[in-house]
Amino acid sequence: MEVLEEEGEEVGSAEEEGKVAGEEGKRGEAGGGGEVGQFLALGSCPGQDCPGYAPGFEQVVEDDDRIRTGTVWTATAHAITAIVGTGVLTLPWSIAQLGWIIGPIVLVLFAFVTYYCSILLSDCYRSPDPIKGRRNYTYMDAIRAFLGEKDVSLCGIVQYLILWGTMVGYTITACMSMMAIKLSHCYHKNGKSAVCEASGILYGIMFGVVEVILSQFPNLEKVSILSYTAAAMSILYSFIALYLSAIKFSAHQQVRGTVLGVDTGGNISAATKVWHCFQALGNIAFAYTYAMVLIEIQDTLKSPPPENRTMRKANVYGIGGTTIFYIFLGLVGYAAFGSDAPGNILTGFYEPFWLIDIANIAVLIHLIGAYQVFSQPLFAFYEHWLATKWPNSGFFNKVYTFKACFPKSRSFKFTLCKLLVRTTFVILTTVVSLMLPFFNAIVGLLGALGFWPLTVYYPITMYLAQAKIRRGNSKWVALQLMSCICLLVSLVSVVGSIADIAQHLGNTRLFKMEL
């Protein structure tokens, strides 16, 4: 093995990675379950001379004449894959906080808001005309076309924050899944009354080491197989969770739970009940996250018929089918566990241990791949920014080539920035995850932070600009009212999630993870 310095070669490696990440996003290959839908698709641009160029947010500005073969059914499949993710595991707990009446109503309302705003967003794929206008390849493209550079920057801040927060959430969930596997084996072997323990810290370190290695892949294109595998795994563990909930319910044949959710008293104070209800709204919002990848999915569709019309049908089938599944899992899980529904539904089962193991392994495989889908755009962004800011620095721009003895045809190119900064970033993310091992609260916080700006505000604002709806018009008032209500929901969800994290910090030791 040898490492060679490629003298005189200035990297654009970070810049090229940003471009490849954008091309990956445009092809809709950002797999990883519902969280697929959250990854930031950086655009690609042939250079800084492109119209609308802004560092870190490059886009292809001309139609690339690509042959598009997507149909309503492929778009539906992409949409379902984008929506369904680890957020689905929190639904029984969320329903338990809201109760038999409010819980299902909230599920349907979130589905309606997501669907309606998705329809508005699908009309923004082309600008200014929704049928004959110029293509917008990414979510950022659409914002730039309708709202300008300032909103691109603001949206980027929100997206990158959610990307990093999701990496934290995935590390926590991966630890819980590995702990659940060990505990299920222990209880199966020694009985449910046995004292079984598992170290979340150890599993967190193991997961972090794996992600440090995978983070050295150059870009999203090199980990696309992880994306496809992750998407399949998310569907697998979701159906296993539904099956196990149905089996548990059929065992006692009694509908558990209450009309208004978890009762106060005992360990649940009135304040805690309120915070948990608010947090449940964030969990449900996270389960419906989808807007960030919609434009990229729409960019795969063939035309005619017009892409927005095809995407409307895909939204109906994708969001409608997902909502039906969510209602089944949420209600069946709540009926099975009642107010004792766990934050992660899979942690509430111990038998059959082999099926639970399959489900948790599927979660783990999903998270390993999805973590990279979320981290690679972040890497591409800051590496491009650093390389641009210090163009003469060898640390950021000099390429080293690592040639392996076997196979001889393989070589690995890297910069010191990529090797050291990516590793440091993953380590810090892992440390934060182990300090704050609160699955439900983190999921609720992520859902709350992303729901209003990305799913509601920007689609509505872009649509109003495109349709030239005047201020004070009845439709303008209705859309703004919906946006304000959704903002309020997001704010109370943020408050509820932060309150839950604060409460846990007061009762839990740092670096102590329990199921």
Side-chain angles (χ1 to χ4, degrees), residues 316-329:
V316 172
Y317 301 147
I319 297 174
T322 302
T323 300
I324 292 173
F325 177 77
Y326 281 3
I327 291 175
F328 268 107
L329 177 58

Side-chain angles (χ1 to χ4, degrees), residues 325-344:
F325 177 77
Y326 281 3
I327 291 175
F328 268 107
L329 177 58
L331 298 187
V332 173
Y334 184 37
F337 287 95
S339 297
D340 296 324
N344 178 340

